[in-house]
Amino acid sequence: MSDYIVGDIQGCYDGLKRLLKKIAFDPKQDKLFAVGDLIGRGPQALKTLDYLIKLGDSFETVLGNHDLHFLAVTQGIKKARAEDGFDALLKSQDLPRYVNWLRKKPLMLSLPNETYICHAGLFPHWSIKKGLKLSTRISQKLQSDNWSSLLEKMYEPTDNVWSPNLKGSAKDNFIINAFTRMRYVTPNGALELKAKGKPTNTSSSLIPWFNQVNHKLSDSETIIFGHWAALEGETRSEQFIGVDTGFVWGNKLTAYNLRNKQKISINYTK
């Protein structure tokens, strides 16, 4: 019995199946977790969601920015782009099933042995307890009757500086941005959401979120995240584990074995 965490799948069903074959994943005894961005940009979004849903209790995930974008598209809040790869999903008679399934997924997951999953990471001014509480806040709104209003306001301009005094949509948007879009923070702790490159190729005034000291996080707590393909999974840390290795961009798809703490990858092939 093993538990695996897979990096950003992004609608690459064939790649996911090759990776699961390599690790000999058996849904009858193993469990698969994902760091979000199950779909988006890849060519097989429909097959990907169908497969993951059929795994039932053997699969769990957090939401990524592409997953939230898909939900917004289904509600007419945003228009689908050709590069999204959503066409088959949007035309499917089962579209409501996919939407309702995704709406029930959180922004942060707690696993055994003080291990936690977030798509982009944990904002460095939050404790684990705070992160889980804020994730629950968004989950409750996503599962409410007027859930689309959360997504409507998600695209409004917002201050990227955290304050405990934030309220309403400003607070919701910061939470969503931190969990699903964060890569860098500024020295004063603000989110910088435009820079996407490797730290070695980015302004020294910006700090990768996992390099910003978090005094509320204990050494025994581990964060596993995706979202940042340019890192190729490299954080130089045993506490912050990156598993997005840019498969949809022609690189690798990676799974992390929670038992032996090893990464297993497959290369992209056309």
Side-chain angles (χ1 to χ4, degrees), residues 32-53:
L32 183 68
F33 297 91
V35 295
D37 279 2
L38 307 179
I39 55 176
R41 298 192 183 277
Q44 300 167 299
L46 183 63
K47 280 188 173 182
T48 300
L49 286 193
D50 271 341
Y51 175 73
L52 295 175
I53 290 172

Side-chain angles (χ1 to χ4, degrees), residues 1-269:
M1 179 180 292
S2 295
D3 291 341
Y4 299 94
I5 302 176
V6 65
D8 301 35
I9 302 166
Q10 297 195 247
C12 296
Y13 171 78
D14 289 344
L16 173 63
K17 291 292 285 184
R18 283 200 292 119
L19 177 61
L20 296 183
K21 182 178 181 180
K22 183 172 182 177
I23 63 177
F25 174 73
D26 181 356
K28 294 180 180 179
Q29 59 181 12
D30 301 331
K31 181 131 186 182
L32 183 68
F33 297 91
V35 295
D37 279 2
L38 307 179
I39 55 176
R41 298 192 183 277
Q44 300 167 299
L46 183 63
K47 280 188 173 182
T48 300
L49 286 193
D50 271 341
Y51 175 73
L52 295 175
I53 290 172
K54 287 176 182 177
L55 287 178
D57 293 339
S58 296
F59 176 75
E60 192 53 87
T61 187
V62 295
L63 292 172
N65 52 299
H66 284 286
D67 307 316
L68 289 171
H69 173 62
F70 169 70
L71 289 176
V73 168
T74 67
Q75 302 307 297
I77 297 166
K78 299 292 284 187
K79 290 185 178 180
R81 305 163 300 193
E83 62 266 29
D84 289 332
F86 295 160
D87 286 356
L89 276 172
L90 295 173
K91 293 176 183 177
S92 172
Q93 293 182 345
D94 287 331
L95 179 61
R97 179 168 66 101
Y98 302 127
V99 169
N100 290 332
W101 184 77
L102 284 169
R103 282 175 56 202
K104 296 175 183 177
K105 303 307 177 186
L107 296 181
M108 184 174 181
L109 269 175
S110 175
L111 277 59
N113 301 317
E114 296 184 288
T115 300
Y116 306 89
I117 303 176
C118 322
H119 177 62
L122 180 70
F123 183 62
H125 290 196
W126 294 343
S127 65
I128 292 295
K129 182 178 180 180
K130 184 69 171 180
L132 290 170
K133 181 178 179 180
L134 295 176
S135 171
T136 298
R137 172 189 172 97
I138 300 301
S139 290
Q140 289 173 342
K141 295 194 174 190
L142 267 180
Q143 295 174 42
S144 69
D145 291 339
N146 64 338
W147 64 278
S148 62
S149 65
L150 172 74
L151 302 182
E152 287 175 0
K153 296 175 182 177
M154 183 172 69
Y155 296 94
E156 294 178 351
T158 185
D159 192 343
N160 287 323
V161 178
W162 171 253
S163 167
N165 298 321
L166 284 176
K167 296 181 180 179
S169 61
K171 185 172 185 176
D172 294 337
N173 288 351
F174 188 97
I175 296 167
I176 290 171
N177 284 340
F179 274 126
T180 68
R181 298 178 61 205
M182 175 179 66
R183 292 185 181 92
Y184 290 99
V185 295
T186 64
N188 69 349
L191 298 176
E192 207 308 312
L193 299 176
K194 294 181 180 180
K196 299 181 179 181
K198 292 183 179 182
T200 52
N201 300 329
T202 304
S203 170
S204 59
S205 65
L206 297 178
I207 307 167
W209 68 267
F210 50 83
N211 284 344
Q212 177 77 306
V213 177
N214 185 341
H215 296 290
K216 298 181 180 180
L217 197 65
S218 74
D219 292 340
S220 60
E221 294 170 326
T222 301
I223 308 295
I224 301 178
F225 69 100
H227 183 60
W228 199 342
L231 284 179
E232 298 179 1
E234 181 55 61
T235 62
R236 298 183 181 180
S237 169
E238 295 182 359
Q239 184 172 25
F240 304 105
I241 311 296
V243 291
D244 180 9
T245 45
F247 187 78
V248 78
W249 302 110
N251 295 319
K252 296 180 179 182
L253 186 62
T254 296
Y256 180 75
N257 188 324
L258 281 169
R259 175 174 292 183
N260 61 21
K261 300 183 179 180
Q262 297 294 314
K263 290 181 180 179
I264 310 96
S265 301
I266 57 150
N267 292 316
Y268 176 86
T269 57

